[in-house]
Amino acid sequence: MLDIAWNPTLNTLTRNAWRLSFGGGIAPVQRTPSTRIHEAPHQDLYRFDGSDTDDDRPILLVPPLAAPAQCFDLRPGQSLAAHLAGSGKATYLVDYGTMGYADRGLGFEDWVDDFIPAAVDRVSRLHDGAPVDLIGWSLGGTMSLLTAAGRGDLPIGSVTAIGTPIDYESVTMIAPLRAVGRFTGDRPLTTATGAMGGLPAPLVQASYRFTALQRELTKPWFIARNLHDTETLARMESIDRFMADMPGYPARFFRQVCTQLILGNALTEGNFETRNGAIALADLTVPVLAIGGTEDVIAPIPSVRAATDVLTGSLSVRFESAPGSHLGLVAGPKAKDSTWAHIDGFLDGVVAQTA
């Protein structure tokens, strides 16, 4: 008779199976300790504890909409925030919170003219006016680039855009939407969302799962194959929690995504229209790092690399590729030795340039 007490592998299999099925999960949620230093609708500002806030040039993490701000801090080992703070960098995060019907009129201009500039100014003042390095993921990178281009008066030192598409014609998964849109415009995408006040969270979550359809379909086999590997299951669990927490898009913001980015491919022309006027990407002057993922279907490498063509006013535009999917770029098992290493090298070089 097999003695389970003396079979650690079988013990692990049994424990993991129980936790996945009935025990509340493989690992508890663990976030990097942080302190909220400012509270306001859609612009809460956090400082990660343990970072050197006296001597180091500050960093502001800029998440996209329709994704939890925890994209930068999923769990230990999957936290760009912990990596930056642990290396002695003063690291901050702006958190937009949830979106409801009352937010339906919010658009890109509210972020690039108000929310993000206010966070940049607040962080800079905490550091005696030092320039702030922005790091944005996905549409957070888009908003960071537009903020730097449209608000040249801000103390922005550089922009890092992770998995941020510029050329939407290179995003093959939305090619059918673009084809239909040539005849129908944005109406099939935005009529219903306008009535609902935006794209509800369940639809955002379903859309993101669709982009990783193979992962969803093979998930039972993945679990069975890795039931002995607690760390791998914990990473899977953190991604599932991330997707389950996705909030929705405000109606105006979603319409701008559809009309200007998906259908209009406006960023390749170097301009983005807002209610406050046009923003020209050529007006961005700070150094930029763009990182594309080799397995990213939401922002394929050609769509990200296009940043090197349109940011003509930048002091320097550097493109790097890294292994991983859209989320894997910033929080995957290989991110530390690829994406995070690229960011470290880029920021060190920016500081050296301005020293």
Side-chain angles (χ1 to χ4, degrees), residues 27-336:
V29 175
Q30 292 180 269
R31 306 290 186 209
T32 304
S34 63
T35 302
R36 184 166 60 188
I37 60 175
H38 178 75
E39 182 178 8
H42 307 312
Q43 47 183 318
D44 287 354
L45 183 64
Y46 292 84
R47 180 179 60 229
F48 288 95
D49 300 345
S51 56
D52 182 351
T53 57
D54 295 324
D55 301 324
D56 206 31
R57 178 166 157 157
I59 293 170
L60 178 64
L61 300 175
V62 182
L65 270 75
Q70 290 85 0
C71 58
F72 295 111
D73 187 37
L74 290 188
R75 59 182 291 272
Q78 292 178 273
S79 174
L80 175 59
H83 170 77
L84 294 170
S87 63
K89 294 180 173 64
T91 306
Y92 297 81
L93 168 73
V94 58
D95 188 346
Y96 320 130
T98 59
M99 300 290 161
Y101 186 76
D103 302 309
R104 60 192 179 280
L106 295 178
F108 270 86
E109 46 276 295
D110 293 286
W111 273 265
V112 303
D113 290 338
D114 187 3
F115 300 158
I116 297 174
V120 169
D121 183 64
R122 192 166 284 111
V123 169
S124 178
R125 283 190 282 109
L126 288 171
H127 295 267
D128 299 323
V132 180
D133 295 307
L134 303 185
I135 299 178
W137 172 61
S138 193
L139 281 174
T142 308
M143 295 188 293
S144 297
L145 293 171
L146 291 174
T147 300
R151 291 292 306 273
D153 58 309
L154 288 171
I156 295 175
S158 70
V159 177
T160 295
I162 308 169
T164 297
I166 299 295
D167 180 8
Y168 279 73
E169 283 190 1
S170 298
V171 185
T172 55
M173 66 172 293
I174 63 170
L177 295 177
R178 289 176 51 82
V180 172
R182 292 192 185 99
F183 302 98
T184 64
D186 65 287
R187 292 190 305 276
L189 294 173
T190 61
T191 300
T193 56
M196 291 185 292
L199 189 65
L203 290 181
V204 173
Q205 294 160 13
S207 299
Y208 193 86
R209 290 183 184 279
F210 179 77
T211 66
L213 187 59
Q214 183 177 4
R215 175 186 184 273
E216 296 298 307
L217 293 175
T218 61
K219 187 175 175 180
W221 169 243
F222 178 87
I223 292 173
R225 186 160 46 91
N226 292 283
L227 202 55
H228 66 288
D229 189 338
T230 303
E231 174 61 23
T232 295
L233 294 179
R235 286 199 299 266
M236 176 203 73
E237 184 179 63
S238 70
I239 295 171
D240 289 343
R241 286 172 175 161
F242 169 82
M243 290 192 290
D245 288 341
M246 284 183 163
Y249 281 110
R252 177 174 175 78
F253 189 96
F254 182 69
R255 188 171 191 275
Q256 289 172 308
V257 169
C258 293
T259 57
Q260 295 202 57
L261 301 184
I262 294 177
L263 300 181
N265 204 18
L267 297 182
T268 59
E269 300 298 321
N271 292 289
F272 189 90
E273 295 289 337
T274 77
R275 65 164 70 95
N276 300 328
I279 297 174
L281 288 177
D283 290 340
L284 182 153
T285 59
V286 300
V288 172
L289 169 64
I291 305 176
T294 56
E295 302 163 42
D296 192 344
V297 298
I298 295 177
I301 281 179
S303 74
V304 177
R305 188 189 287 119
T308 61
D309 299 321
V310 300
L311 299 173
T312 55
S314 171
L315 183 65
S316 65
V317 184
R318 171 178 164 187
F319 170 79
E320 298 285 356
S321 65
S325 61
H326 197 54
L327 180 59
L329 259 183
V330 71
K334 299 179 181 179
K336 179 179 179 180

Side-chain angles (χ1 to χ4, degrees), residues 1-27:
M1 181 176 180
L2 183 63
D3 186 350
I4 294 179
W6 290 97
N7 192 320
T9 300
L10 186 55
N11 271 343
T12 301
L13 289 168
T14 304
R15 182 177 63 250
N16 287 343
W18 173 265
R19 288 177 176 174
L20 283 172
S21 302
F22 311 106
I26 294 295

